[in-house]
């Protein structure tokens, strides 16, 4: 079973990575993450927003209301300088972890 | 299509954020659900199924409410426990003890039951017991308002009897074990009579008040079906 810390870590990395390419509102963010991970990572509303608010509280992202072309009012999130700074070591940590797990599972199957 | 704004406002009515922040969160989540449902419809799902799939994104609205409160306010579990249990509990305790003091000074005489000659007597301040549900209801209300779970709400309502319960469950049995000079039949009788008078009877009345508040709030924030236009 994957622990809460690991799940939260991967989810935060996914959000920061997708926001690196530009501002997005919650629904679009969830849709992009699902598409880009081919459905491996899926965010329901209940999982997404508490995390976005927590990340906003930490100063990694910032939300602001905007009106879309269709006239719908949405809250768009942007990466802050602190978020950009956080992304690089986070990527490194996860690359190391997945590399280690890959090596481990290869050894186990040998 | 459902009125998503209304649905989210109703489901997340207990958010402990300030009014502006609460409106903002409710509007944002409603927009997400609205968009999600529209996409399901555009993919060809019938309206009922699209609504159900959209709603399935939130399995437990109360849990979501707690998580949003915790994330937006930046409160940690300890702070939550203070506002949801300790503060309402201590206020309930102070109120119930204040009421007891008033009843002892100005109220009618207690009902005294002498179960057995020579054993401790059982005293019931009936007027105190009758007004105690108010104290229990106050504790439950304050805990509920702070986003407390059912367990926290009910624990806040019976908080005043918890210290007595601890004393009777620990101090008296320990006294029985180490106090060689004590008359065991008196101590055992004291355990039951005082337990009944100071824990069970007031606990039940406090609990009744807490339970009433819990049901009232549950009915108010409960799901009354999805409205469709």
């Amino acid at each position: 079973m994957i622990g809460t810390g690991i799940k939260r870590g991967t989810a935060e990395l996914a959000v920061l990575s997708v926001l690196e390419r530009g501002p997005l509102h919650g629904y679009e963010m969830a849709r992009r993450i699902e598409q880009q991970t081919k459905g491996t990572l899926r965010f329901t509303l209940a999982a997404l927003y508490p995390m976005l608010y927590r990340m906003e509280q930490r100063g990694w992202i910032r939300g602001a209301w905007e009106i879309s072309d269709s006239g719908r009012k949405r809250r768009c999130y942007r990466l802050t300088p602190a978020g950009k700074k956080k992304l690089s070591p986070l990527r490194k940590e996860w690359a190391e972890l997945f590399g280690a797990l890959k090596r481990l599972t290869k050894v186990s199957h040998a | 299509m459902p009125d998503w704004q209304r649905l989210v406002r109703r489901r997340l009515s207990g958010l402990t954020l300030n009014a502006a922040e609460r409106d903002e969160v409710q509007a944002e989540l409603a927009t997400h659900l609205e968009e999600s449902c529209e996409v399901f419809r555009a993919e060809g799902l019938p309206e009922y199924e699209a609504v159900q799939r959209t709603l399935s994104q939130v399995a437990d609205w109360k849990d979501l409410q707690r998580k949003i409160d915790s994330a937006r306010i930046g409160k940690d579990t300890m702070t939550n426990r203070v506002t949801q249990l300790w503060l309402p509990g201590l206020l309930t305790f102070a109120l119930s003890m204040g009421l007891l003091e008033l009843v002892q000074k100005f109220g009618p005489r207690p009902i005294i039951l002498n179960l057995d000659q020579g054993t401790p007597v059982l005293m019931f301040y009936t007027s105190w017991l009758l007004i105690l549900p108010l104290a229990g209801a106050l504790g439950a209300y304050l805990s509920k308002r702070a986003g407390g779970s059912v367990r926290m709400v009910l624990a806040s309502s019976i908080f005043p009897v918890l210290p007595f319960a601890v004393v009777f469950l620990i101090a008296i049995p320990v006294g029985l074990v180490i106090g060689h000079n004590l008359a065991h039949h008196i101590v055992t009788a004291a355990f039951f009579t005082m337990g009944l008078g100071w824990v069970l009877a007031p606990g039940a009345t406090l609990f009744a008040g807490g339970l009433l508040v819990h049901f009232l709030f549950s009915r108010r924030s409960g799901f009354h079906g999805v409205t469709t236009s």
Side-chain angles (χ1 to χ4, degrees):
Chain A
M1 195 164 155
I2 300 171
T4 319
I6 291 178
K7 275 199 278 190
R8 186 183 287 179
T10 48
E12 286 171 354
L13 178 61
V15 167
L16 292 176
S17 302
V18 87
L19 286 180
E20 195 186 21
R21 284 161 222 159
L24 290 172
H25 56 88
Y27 180 77
E28 186 58 21
M29 205 185 297
R31 206 180 62 87
R32 291 247 181 118
I33 291 171
E34 190 176 339
Q35 278 177 351
Q36 286 172 19
T37 62
K38 295 194 171 72
T40 307
L41 283 182
R42 273 186 197 169
F43 285 99
T44 60
L45 176 145
L48 181 66
Y49 287 92
M51 182 182 59
L52 288 180
Y53 297 148
R54 199 177 306 111
M55 290 171 76
E56 195 174 20
Q57 200 72 29
R58 288 180 190 151
W60 298 351
I61 58 174
R62 193 176 52 244
W65 286 97
E66 287 175 10
I67 296 174
S68 69
D69 297 338
S70 60
R72 185 173 264 159
K73 215 175 146 200
R74 290 158 167 160
R75 198 152 185 266
C76 275
Y77 292 90
R78 283 176 172 74
L79 213 56
T80 62
K84 279 180 193 159
K85 215 170 150 186
K86 180 79 191 166
L87 188 55
S88 169
L90 207 59
R91 266 194 186 128
K92 207 178 148 204
E93 269 174 43
W94 285 99
E96 277 172 14
L97 177 69
F98 288 126
L101 285 170
K102 211 172 161 183
R103 285 194 298 278
L104 189 71
T105 49
K106 265 184 190 169
V107 169
S108 305
H109 289 114
Chain B
M1 290 289 278
D3 182 346
W4 294 108
Q5 297 284 342
R6 213 176 106 201
L7 185 138
V8 173
R9 271 201 303 274
R10 197 190 307 147
R11 297 288 188 96
L12 298 180
S13 59
L15 284 170
T16 56
L17 308 168
N18 66 47
E21 271 189 311
R22 191 176 59 227
D23 290 348
E24 194 173 63
V25 168
Q26 289 168 343
E28 183 175 21
L29 269 55
T31 309
H32 182 114
L33 290 174
E34 200 176 335
E35 195 152 8
S36 178
C37 193
E38 280 173 11
V39 170
F40 285 134
R41 289 285 285 140
E43 285 171 357
L45 286 183
E47 186 178 322
Y48 177 78
E49 207 175 317
V51 169
Q52 292 308 310
R53 279 188 65 177
T54 304
L55 284 173
S56 72
Q57 292 190 54
V58 187
D60 183 346
W61 285 90
K62 285 212 157 78
D63 183 54
L64 174 64
Q65 191 167 277
R66 270 194 297 279
K67 283 179 178 163
I68 291 174
D69 269 335
S70 171
R72 284 286 288 223
I73 305 169
K75 289 193 292 190
D76 56 19
T77 314
M78 193 61 209
T79 318
N80 285 341
R81 200 157 288 168
V82 168
T83 56
Q84 293 168 2
L85 176 69
W86 293 107
L87 206 59
L90 288 171
L91 278 170
T92 314
F93 181 82
L95 180 66
S96 54
M97 289 301 113
L99 288 171
L100 177 62
E101 193 71 26
L102 286 175
V103 165
Q104 282 175 334
K105 273 191 182 161
F106 307 109
R109 291 165 66 98
I111 295 171
I112 298 172
L113 299 173
N114 198 346
L115 299 176
D116 184 17
Q117 291 300 318
T119 59
V121 292
L122 189 56
M123 289 206 311
F124 280 113
Y125 287 96
T126 40
S127 44
W128 182 55
L129 291 175
L130 286 173
I131 50 175
L132 264 189
L134 286 175
L138 174 80
Y141 171 72
L142 292 173
S143 175
K144 195 86 184 174
R145 227 181 64 154
S149 61
V150 180
R151 209 172 46 181
M152 291 281 196
V153 167
L154 296 178
S156 300
S157 70
I158 59 159
F159 197 87
V161 296
L162 296 180
F164 295 115
V166 170
V167 168
F168 294 133
L169 289 173
I170 296 170
I172 295 180
V174 168
L176 269 173
V177 172
I178 60 170
H180 300 294
N181 297 327
L182 290 174
H184 280 208
H185 74 283
I186 291 179
V187 179
T188 312
F191 179 77
F192 287 111
T193 54
M194 291 173 86
L196 185 64
W198 288 100
V199 181
L200 291 178
T205 54
L206 287 163
F207 188 75
L211 210 56
L212 183 70
V213 166
H214 169 64
F215 281 128
L216 286 175
F217 267 83
S218 302
R219 283 186 62 187
R220 270 180 57 191
S221 60
F223 178 54
H224 306 291
V226 177
T227 52
T228 54
S229 58

